[in-house]
Amino acid sequence: MSLFKTLTRTSFRPISRCYSRSVTTKRPHFPCVEVHAVRESQLRQMAVNPIPSSTSSTDSAESGPEPPYARPNPKSYHVYHDPASLQLTYSSQLPSFDVAYETWGKLSPKKDNAILLHTGLSASSHAASTALNSAPGWWEKFIGPGKALDTNQFFIICTNVIGGCYGSTGPSSIDPTSGTHYATNFPILSIFDMVRAQFRLLDHLEIDKLYASVGSSMGGMQSLAAGWLHPERVGKIVSISGTARSSPSAVAMRYAQRSVLMADPNWNYGFYYDGLPPHTGMKLARQIATITYRSGPEWDLRFGRQMRPVLEQPPDKPRTPALCPDFLIETYLDHQGEQFCLKYDANSLIYISKAMDLFDLTASSLSANHLQSPSVSSSASTHSLSPSSTPHRTSHSKSHPPPVNPAPHLTDLAEGMQPLAQIPTLVLGVQSDILFTVEQQREMVDALRLAGNEQVSYYELGGVWGHDTFLLDVLNVGGAIRGFLS
């Protein structure tokens, strides 16, 4: 911990100039490449002479409007340890597991006001500031008195998913059967496994039914999975910029991230915990991810084609281009990678992103994975339904008319989502999102309505922030949630 935290605070000098080859016998200078060697040298030195870490629970950096993603202090969250095994979708089981969690608000005497908040891929349980950790959380402006998740009314619970590295059991945890880090001996996970662990925590807290299951991005997948696994225990569902079936384009993007990470020699087949972490691979993976999190329109407004300042640029000569970050958008991606590469566990990124790829609520996929749907009313059956022949009892928005040419898998998806037919559901999509496109939210809504759900609310948001709109658009995202939950 001290090694990672100290290095995220290390001041790597900003790139001031990239020199091109001026003399054929002179080796070119590439600061953006050499910074990796500098970091590696510091990692090796600190492994020999560790520097005590600060007691602060967060690392601050100016990076634009992004919320902080920091490694939380273990003293700032609760840990539920379950000594019993957890059955998994693709393998046998975890022999035992931990779930890190934080709470806001007060649980009512009847324990009927609990909201389970699900995180995206790399977020911790620290969704908002607490008495134990005053640092702003990743959803700080959405949680609190009078906010979207109103702590005067609701008891909010947020967990770090299993597979993560912020207190819950994951690849960096110690395997109780071997006494060493799981590393890539950790079992393949599914979104359903993450939710099963969360419901074991709810059992421990003696919460029989959630007021709502709320999630964004990967959290939107979890909110659907919670309702699918336990329709009798979920009162409402909120899915923001999520999907019921990972698209090929999203799978491709996440595969590229895992590929560059696993190509880093330090990754060492996942067994790097006693050596150097794959920091270069993590930086590149984060750069790829950042491209999918934001949008072209925002970058046009925020960066345009502006270039970074160059020292001592002769006024009478054209600017000499550099092969290292030259455009401001390049410096932004470089900064995002630097900030992230030592804060998150590489194996956690691999395992959790793979779980996202595998998520598919079509009936055929569920059946192939031997996932048994809870019993549903025969009136919700979709066996005889088709999008073209079945009237929608809930009107569509102007931006989302009934599908003229529905996807071939829509009926299969509707059949798989039958357990959600009786749960009021809010779906939010963002028109500038290129990772979880609005087509995926529209498809989710169509499938829910085809499955017989007459209580689906759907909104498409504009704006320029892309996928990260769920983190930034407090007015529209927060307003929709507040209205739906009230």
Side-chain angles (χ1 to χ4, degrees), residues 151-175:
T151 51
N152 289 332
Q153 182 179 1
F154 301 114
F155 179 65
I156 316 301
I157 308 164
C158 183
T159 79
N160 178 223
V161 297
I162 59 167
C165 57
Y166 293 149
S168 295
T169 298
S172 60
S173 303
I174 300 298
D175 180 353

Side-chain angles (χ1 to χ4, degrees), residues 141-205:
K141 295 181 180 180
F142 293 82
I143 300 172
K147 296 181 181 180
L149 300 187
D150 189 348
T151 51
N152 289 332
Q153 182 179 1
F154 301 114
F155 179 65
I156 316 301
I157 308 164
C158 183
T159 79
N160 178 223
V161 297
I162 59 167
C165 57
Y166 293 149
S168 295
T169 298
S172 60
S173 303
I174 300 298
D175 180 353
T177 63
S178 67
T180 60
H181 295 283
Y182 276 105
T184 44
N185 285 325
F186 196 73
I188 296 294
L189 293 174
S190 72
I191 298 295
F192 294 104
D193 300 331
M194 299 173 186
V195 173
R196 290 188 185 103
Q198 292 167 343
F199 271 83
R200 292 274 279 270
L201 168 64
L202 295 179
D203 292 340
H204 168 72
L205 298 175

Side-chain angles (χ1 to χ4, degrees), residues 239-418:
S239 177
I240 310 164
S241 295
T243 186
R245 177 181 179 270
S246 280
S247 68
S249 61
V251 171
M253 286 291 189
R254 287 188 288 264
Y255 170 73
Q257 295 171 51
R258 292 194 297 270
S259 295
V260 297
L261 200 166
M262 296 166 76
D264 187 324
N266 288 343
W267 182 63
N268 192 32
Y269 296 91
F271 292 85
Y272 52 81
Y273 295 106
D274 295 324
L276 298 177
H279 53 92
T280 299
M282 281 292 281
K283 176 178 178 178
L284 298 176
R286 183 63 173 184
Q287 289 180 355
I288 296 171
T290 302
I291 293 170
T292 71
Y293 295 156
R294 309 310 283 255
S295 76
E298 182 209 6
W299 286 348
D300 279 335
L301 293 172
R302 187 171 168 190
F303 304 113
R305 288 184 54 83
Q306 295 181 74
M307 312 289 279
R308 62 176 176 79
V310 175
L311 300 178
E312 301 175 358
Q313 172 66 34
D316 57 340
K317 293 184 179 180
R319 176 194 175 101
T320 302
L323 295 179
C324 278
D326 215 11
F327 290 93
L328 288 188
I329 183 60
E330 294 175 322
T331 65
Y332 168 73
L333 293 177
D334 188 73
H335 173 77
Q336 288 296 307
E338 283 291 341
Q339 289 299 307
F340 186 77
C341 68
L342 292 175
K343 288 182 179 178
Y344 198 72
D345 180 60
N347 284 335
S348 284
L349 189 152
I350 290 171
Y351 275 81
I352 296 177
S353 69
K354 185 66 177 182
M356 294 175 71
D357 291 351
L358 295 168
F359 188 65
D360 185 349
L361 284 179
T362 58
S364 56
S365 175
L366 296 167
S367 176
N369 289 309
H370 304 284
L371 289 165
Q372 302 242 343
S373 298
S375 59
V376 293
S377 170
S378 60
S379 63
S381 174
T382 62
H383 288 292
S384 60
L385 303 182
S386 68
S388 59
S389 63
T390 306
H392 287 269
R393 298 171 192 172
T394 305
S395 62
H396 287 68
S397 67
K398 291 181 179 178
S399 62
H400 177 219
V404 178
N405 298 304
H409 58 265
L410 183 60
T411 302
D412 192 15
L413 183 61
E415 183 177 351
M417 298 182 76
Q418 282 186 35

Side-chain angles (χ1 to χ4, degrees), residues 34-211:
E34 290 155 9
V35 69
H36 304 306
V38 172
R39 186 191 302 112
E40 186 139 327
S41 176
Q42 292 176 330
L43 283 164
R44 292 185 187 278
Q45 182 62 30
M46 292 179 64
V48 176
N49 301 303
I51 300 173
S53 63
S54 165
T55 57
S56 171
S57 63
T58 186
D59 304 313
S60 61
E62 289 297 325
S63 59
E66 292 78 7
Y69 283 91
R71 185 178 291 272
N73 188 319
K75 295 180 180 179
S76 69
Y77 52 78
H78 307 289
V79 177
Y80 164 62
H81 174 72
D82 195 320
S85 61
L86 178 69
Q87 185 64 44
L88 303 176
T89 302
Y90 299 106
S91 55
S92 54
Q93 58 190 20
L94 277 175
S96 62
F97 63 94
D98 291 342
V99 175
Y101 69 99
E102 297 179 46
T103 65
W104 300 264
K106 185 177 180 180
L107 189 61
S108 65
K110 293 183 179 180
K111 299 185 177 183
D112 60 356
N113 68 331
I115 291 178
L116 182 58
L117 174 61
H118 308 277
T119 73
L121 188 156
S122 58
S124 71
S125 60
H126 191 60
S129 52
T130 65
L132 294 175
N133 186 353
S134 60
W138 57 267
W139 235 30
E140 184 74 22
K141 295 181 180 180
F142 293 82
I143 300 172
K147 296 181 181 180
L149 300 187
D150 189 348
T151 51
N152 289 332
Q153 182 179 1
F154 301 114
F155 179 65
I156 316 301
I157 308 164
C158 183
T159 79
N160 178 223
V161 297
I162 59 167
C165 57
Y166 293 149
S168 295
T169 298
S172 60
S173 303
I174 300 298
D175 180 353
T177 63
S178 67
T180 60
H181 295 283
Y182 276 105
T184 44
N185 285 325
F186 196 73
I188 296 294
L189 293 174
S190 72
I191 298 295
F192 294 104
D193 300 331
M194 299 173 186
V195 173
R196 290 188 185 103
Q198 292 167 343
F199 271 83
R200 292 274 279 270
L201 168 64
L202 295 179
D203 292 340
H204 168 72
L205 298 175
E206 298 180 342
I207 296 173
D208 293 329
K209 184 171 183 177
L210 292 169
Y211 185 87

Side-chain angles (χ1 to χ4, degrees), residues 7-25:
L7 273 164
T8 57
R9 290 193 175 89
T10 300
S11 177
F12 294 107
R13 293 187 177 277
I15 299 167
S16 61
R17 188 158 189 160
C18 294
Y19 295 95
S20 60
R21 185 188 296 268
S22 58
V23 181
T24 56
T25 59

